[in-house]
Amino acid sequence: MATSSVSKGCFVFKPNFKKRKISVPIEDYFNKGKNESEDSKLRFETYQLIWQQMKSETEKSHSGFQKNSRDWGCQIKLREIPTAALVLGVNVTDHDLTFRSLTEVLQNNVTPYVVSLQAKDCPDMKHFLQKLASQLMDCNVDVQSKEKESVQVTQKKIHYSMDSLSTWYMNVTQKTDPKIPRKKRTPSSQWQSPPVVLILKDMESFTTKVLQDFIIISSQHLHEFPLILIFGIATSPIVIHRLLPHAVSSLLCIELFQSLSCKEHLTTVLDKLLLTAQFPFKLSEKVLQVLTNIFLYHDFSIQNFIKGLQLSLLEHFYSQPLSVLCCNLPEAKRRINFLSDNQCENIRRLPSFRRYVEKQASEKQVALLTNERFLKEETQSLLENLHVYHTNYFLVLRCLHQFTSSLPKYPLGRQIRELYCTCLEKNILDSEEYASALQLLRMLAKDELMATLQKCFKVFKSSSEKQLGNTAKRIEEFLAQFQSLDAEAKEEEEDTSESQSKGLQKTDLYHLQKSLLEMKELRRTSKRQTKFEVLREQLVSFIDSLVREYLLLPETQPLHEVLYFSAAHTLRQHLNAAPRIALHTALNNPYYYLKNEALRSEEGCIPNVAPDICIAYKLHLECSRLINLVDWSEAFATVVTAAEKMDANSVTSEERNEIIHARFIRAVSELELLGFIKPTKQKTDHVARLTWGGC
């Protein structure tokens, strides 16, 4: 676009922004991978189905949070504001997600009037009431469209105060109260209309005066404006008494709600999604280690952990053609019947299947490698065995965890996650930790063993599967045998006490010492175990036999690649941030990201059509610690002018040099902003280089 003007000036042309529509469906992007196959669409649909099931399971696991206490309404006195102190912890990074979920639950089950405020938006009482009123009047209330418009008009004209909010609340509830369903009313009889819930996300950051004034004023309007406060606390509940004096805190009826720790949240998510045979998808030890390390050493974010799990699921279905069989067992058996010849060849190429074939007889080997129908039947059988393997695996894993989680120094870990990682990493039978755990189990007292057996019995009884049915019966027998030892022990104590009383009734000190020495020598020479020690040894041997039979490495199972995602390197590239490496790659080789054929160049060469910052960056790599701006500018102009084809009539040499110089200054400023160079006072017209080596 050209312009004409009497004097030189700067003209700005605003582009017409149009919404970019994605015309290609998402599943088509999924199909364009290097492992494209005829089952791409089916794999994508299976991925969506499994992820929706896993997502709903995580939401369900946290939906039952309640405070087990007395009826809150009975404790509230006149002019006391019901207040919930929600302690989330300093290291919990999912505060916003927690408050969003809490708001959604309150709106669905308690009241439509839920407001969330932050300290940065409420520096004084005026702004506090403004934010409260604006959010409150925008709440989703079942009113007619005309009434909504009138609310918006009055919202602009209204003078914000508790009196005006009380008047507004009474007008709105009188119009909408008959239409509000019963489930949205609070159980307390003192509220005839749904209350207003105010969430202060960061209570510690609020100004003390603002909090005190608002609480005092609200307590005076509690009958006209029923209010419930929720304090989001990151540190400790003591902060309430530090911010509020007794005269103000006495106006609150406070209940404390403590959030679970981050590790407990992680254990819950793993228990629901991975330590179960409900979902066929599984993670290898290295992938699980990447996700847990990011969680434990970087962000403590359950939300990010779940997103990493979703990324692993997506990568598995994207990169593994046989992931089409990663679904529930009946559906997988049905899909096997419709596998193409290419998919059958993919099965034969699996390392675990090749190892399985090598162990078979020669006739069966030929049939598996040549007969498609026989291969499909065998694949169905192997997948069924893999399903049974997982069911037994997790039952025995939980049983072993019950025995080892309370041992001194926790040789196999305190969390079931640690035990699971150990079992995935190596054969647990060969580990020193497992041998140490067995030795400690042989020293447990009877009460500890019986309590653990009770927990294991509940684990096996809670399983709906028929596998390991005899195990529950065997554990029940052990419990009965341990209980029978009590009666026998009482009888033995009575017999020994009677014999000792009879033998020691009439004797002198010499004979007493002699008899005691004989009893001590007899105990030392006899190595016979007691009944309890024999039974305890049998129990430990029984647990060891379960571990040897069922806690096998997943790599030993044929077709485990169908269900297990093991590309830890790919996952690490996506999740572990490496901005310096990405910047160096983008500036040193712009073709890597832009995929423009004109940017292809041999190593060490500088393409003259590259972006200005890329040219300046590659030139600065050839310089020493101090870079002469004049030499750098001349080198930049030399590279750039090789690509310029300017009309000599339209652009003069002086104007061209000015344009190139301006482009160079801009590129240098961008490199300084990215942290590659900085100004220096050591030499005039020089800048200091900040990076060395490859970047």
Side-chain angles (χ1 to χ4, degrees):
M1 186 179 295
T3 59
S4 59
S5 176
V6 176
S7 61
K8 291 184 179 180
C10 180
F11 300 91
V12 178
F13 301 96
K14 295 182 179 180
N16 294 325
F17 293 103
K18 296 182 179 180
K19 292 183 179 180
R20 298 177 62 186
K21 295 183 179 179
I22 301 176
S23 57
V24 183
I26 300 176
E27 55 267 24
D28 287 356
Y29 287 105
F30 187 83
N31 298 343
K32 291 181 180 179
K34 57 184 178 181
N35 296 312
E36 182 181 358
S37 69
E38 63 274 11
D39 297 324
S40 297
K41 186 176 181 180
L42 183 58
R43 281 189 281 136
F44 180 74
E45 293 173 352
T46 309
Y47 152 74
Q48 286 184 312
L49 177 63
I50 292 180
W51 175 243
Q52 287 301 323
Q53 293 173 350
M54 297 175 81
K55 186 179 179 182
S56 63
E57 190 68 25
T58 56
E59 293 172 353
K60 195 187 305 179
S61 64
H62 296 287
S63 62
F65 175 76
Q66 293 180 351
K67 179 74 167 63
N68 296 323
S69 63
R70 300 184 301 274
D71 185 9
W72 201 359
C74 299
Q75 303 177 39
I76 302 174
K77 300 178 182 178
L78 185 65
R79 294 181 60 186
E80 278 191 347
I81 303 175
T83 305
L86 183 57
V87 183
L88 296 175
V90 178
N91 290 328
V92 180
T93 57
D94 298 328
H95 284 182
D96 290 337
L97 180 64
T98 303
F99 284 120
R100 280 201 302 270
S101 302
L102 178 61
T103 302
E104 191 175 323
V105 171
L106 290 173
Q107 287 177 338
N108 291 335
N109 301 301
V110 180
T111 174
Y113 310 110
V114 182
V115 178
S116 297
L117 297 181
Q118 288 182 293
K120 63 180 181 180
D121 301 326
C122 309
D124 51 34
M125 194 62 183
K126 177 183 177 182
H127 288 87
F128 190 101
L129 291 175
Q130 282 181 350
K131 287 291 181 181
L132 173 60
S134 60
Q135 288 193 37
L136 192 58
M137 294 179 183
D138 289 336
C139 286
N140 186 18
V141 186
D142 296 331
V143 294
Q144 301 295 330
S145 59
K146 292 183 179 179
E147 293 175 353
K148 286 186 179 180
E149 293 176 1
S150 64
V151 167
Q152 293 176 356
V153 172
T154 55
Q155 184 177 341
K156 297 178 181 178
K157 299 179 180 179
I158 199 169
H159 175 69
Y160 297 107
S161 65
M162 287 304 298
D163 291 330
S164 60
L165 284 175
S166 301
T167 305
W168 173 87
Y169 174 81
M170 293 176 65
N171 293 334
V172 172
T173 52
Q174 285 176 2
K175 296 176 182 178
T176 61
D177 201 39
K179 299 181 180 179
I180 295 178
R182 286 287 176 182
K183 69 174 185 177
K184 288 191 176 182
R185 295 175 183 260
T186 58
S188 179
S189 59
Q190 63 175 333
W191 290 321
Q192 300 300 324
S193 300
V196 175
V197 178
L198 175 58
I199 301 175
L200 305 181
K201 293 184 176 180
D202 46 351
M203 193 242 183
E204 294 99 330
S205 303
F206 276 86
T207 309
T208 305
K209 188 177 186 309
V210 172
L211 283 177
Q212 293 182 15
D213 292 346
F214 178 75
I215 292 172
I216 294 173
I217 297 173
S218 300
S219 65
Q220 298 171 356
H221 294 79
L222 201 56
H223 291 289
E224 305 89 17
F225 191 75
L227 180 67
I228 296 177
L229 293 177
I230 297 179
F231 292 157
I233 300 173
T235 53
S236 171
I238 304 175
V239 73
I240 298 177
H241 302 288
R242 290 178 180 173
L243 291 174
L244 305 176
H246 177 71
V248 179
S249 61
S250 61
L251 299 175
L252 305 176
C253 181
I254 302 175
E255 281 285 338
L256 183 64
F257 294 80
Q258 180 73 46
S259 173
L260 294 175
S261 67
C262 298
K263 291 184 178 180
E264 290 175 334
H265 278 300
L266 177 63
T267 302
T268 303
V269 170
L270 289 177
D271 184 70
K272 294 288 184 181
L273 302 184
L274 295 180
L275 302 180
T276 174
Q278 178 183 356
F279 301 110
F281 176 71
K282 296 290 178 285
L283 298 178
S284 69
E285 184 271 335
K286 291 184 178 179
V287 173
L288 183 58
Q289 202 66 43
V290 169
L291 293 178
T292 52
N293 284 346
I294 292 175
F295 175 84
L296 294 173
Y297 302 115
H298 288 95
D299 54 15
F300 284 104
S301 174
I302 286 294
Q303 186 180 12
N304 290 345
F305 181 87
I306 294 175
K307 286 182 178 178
L309 183 61
Q310 182 184 9
L311 178 61
S312 304
L313 181 68
L314 180 62
E315 279 289 337
H316 178 65
F317 278 92
Y318 178 77
S319 59
Q320 174 57 265
L322 291 174
S323 60
V324 69
L325 303 179
C326 185
C327 54
N328 60 73
L329 187 59
E331 178 64 18
K333 287 184 175 182
R334 188 190 68 81
R335 292 181 182 182
I336 289 173
N337 295 324
F338 299 99
L339 289 180
S340 63
D341 294 342
N342 290 333
Q343 291 287 57
C344 290
E345 287 301 319
N346 288 334
I347 292 177
R348 294 187 178 106
R349 293 192 193 101
L350 292 177
S352 62
F353 185 78
R354 293 171 67 180
R355 291 194 296 268
Y356 172 76
V357 172
E358 290 172 358
K359 297 177 182 178
Q360 307 305 314
S362 57
E363 295 180 358
K364 191 173 182 179
Q365 288 182 359
V366 173
L368 288 172
L369 298 176
T370 58
N371 191 332
E372 307 293 340
R373 183 177 178 182
F374 184 77
L375 173 66
K376 293 178 180 179
E377 293 176 356
E378 192 68 16
T379 302
Q380 290 177 339
S381 176
L382 291 176
L383 274 182
E384 186 173 358
N385 293 340
L386 193 57
H387 176 78
V388 174
Y389 160 79
H390 281 133
T391 303
N392 297 338
Y393 185 95
F394 292 119
L395 286 175
V396 175
L397 183 76
R398 293 178 190 280
C399 179
L400 180 62
H401 174 66
Q402 295 294 343
F403 276 98
T404 60
S405 60
S406 58
L407 293 177
K409 297 185 178 180
Y410 311 105
L412 291 176
R414 191 172 184 176
Q415 306 279 346
I416 192 171
R417 164 183 54 83
E418 299 169 294
L419 177 61
Y420 182 50
C421 287
T422 303
C423 295
L424 288 178
E425 182 182 6
K426 56 188 176 182
N427 189 353
I428 192 173
L429 300 173
D430 300 334
S431 64
E432 296 180 0
E433 295 83 3
Y434 179 70
S436 174
L438 289 184
Q439 287 219 340
L440 291 173
L441 285 176
R442 293 187 175 97
M443 302 177 187
L444 290 181
K446 184 177 64 176
D447 295 339
E448 295 173 314
L449 287 175
M450 290 185 66
T452 308
L453 279 174
Q454 289 283 3
K455 296 177 183 177
C456 290
F457 182 71
K458 291 180 181 178
V459 168
F460 286 106
K461 275 295 183 182
S462 62
S463 174
S464 59
E465 302 289 339
K466 295 182 179 180
Q467 283 79 16
L468 291 172
N470 295 331
T471 304
K473 186 178 180 181
R474 188 78 178 93
I475 291 177
E476 196 172 11
E477 292 175 358
F478 274 116
L479 279 171
Q481 290 175 357
F482 276 114
Q483 290 171 353
S484 65
L485 288 177
D486 291 334
E488 296 179 6
K490 288 181 181 178
E491 293 178 0
E492 289 180 0
E493 287 178 2
E494 291 175 358
D495 294 340
T496 53
S497 61
E498 288 179 2
S499 62
Q500 286 179 357
S501 61
K502 289 179 181 178
L504 299 176
Q505 276 177 355
K506 296 179 181 180
T507 183
D508 54 8
L509 182 61
Y510 171 76
H511 289 93
L512 176 61
Q513 289 179 342
K514 185 178 179 181
S515 60
L516 289 175
L517 287 173
E518 289 176 354
M519 291 171 61
K520 183 179 179 181
E521 184 67 19
L522 183 63
R523 288 177 181 175
R524 189 180 67 82
T525 54
S526 67
K527 298 181 180 180
R528 185 174 151 191
Q529 291 181 318
T530 63
K531 291 183 178 180
F532 166 70
E533 291 173 341
V534 172
L535 189 57
R536 182 175 59 186
E537 184 63 33
Q538 291 177 357
L539 175 61
V540 174
S541 301
F542 173 70
I543 298 298
D544 184 47
S545 65
L546 288 178
V547 172
R548 292 178 181 276
E549 185 176 357
Y550 296 109
L551 287 189
L552 304 175
L553 288 172
E555 288 78 8
T556 61
Q557 305 302 310
L559 303 183
H560 74 272
E561 296 94 340
V562 175
L563 308 182
Y564 280 81
F565 175 67
S566 57
H569 177 69
T570 304
L571 189 67
R572 195 180 290 111
Q573 280 184 329
H574 287 300
L575 297 181
N576 279 0
R580 180 63 68 182
I581 297 175
L583 275 175
H584 173 72
T585 304
L587 298 176
N588 193 47
N589 182 20
Y591 173 78
Y592 183 84
Y593 291 107
L594 299 179
K595 303 300 180 185
N596 188 341
E597 292 297 329
L599 298 177
R600 276 187 180 273
S601 63
E602 298 180 1
E603 190 174 353
C605 298
I606 303 176
N608 47 24
V609 293
D612 293 344
I613 189 174
C614 298
I615 297 174
Y617 178 78
K618 296 196 73 171
L619 289 172
H620 114 285
L621 291 179
E622 301 175 358
C623 301
S624 58
R625 186 174 64 87
L626 294 178
I627 306 175
N628 190 321
L629 285 173
V630 178
D631 297 341
W632 194 7
S633 175
E634 290 179 355
F636 179 84
T638 303
V639 175
V640 169
T641 52
E644 298 292 341
K645 295 181 180 179
M646 298 183 179
D647 189 357
N649 297 325
S650 61
V651 181
T652 63
S653 176
E654 182 179 351
E655 291 176 344
R656 182 177 60 186
N657 291 338
E658 288 180 359
I659 293 172
I660 294 175
H661 183 70
R663 290 167 56 184
F664 171 73
I665 294 300
R666 179 177 179 177
V668 171
S669 301
E670 290 172 346
L671 289 177
E672 182 180 354
L673 181 64
L674 293 173
F676 290 102
I677 58 174
K678 71 172 183 178
T680 180
K681 296 181 180 179
Q682 294 184 14
K683 284 188 178 182
T684 309
D685 296 335
H686 281 68
V687 292
R689 182 179 172 185
L690 297 179
T691 57
W692 297 96
C695 56

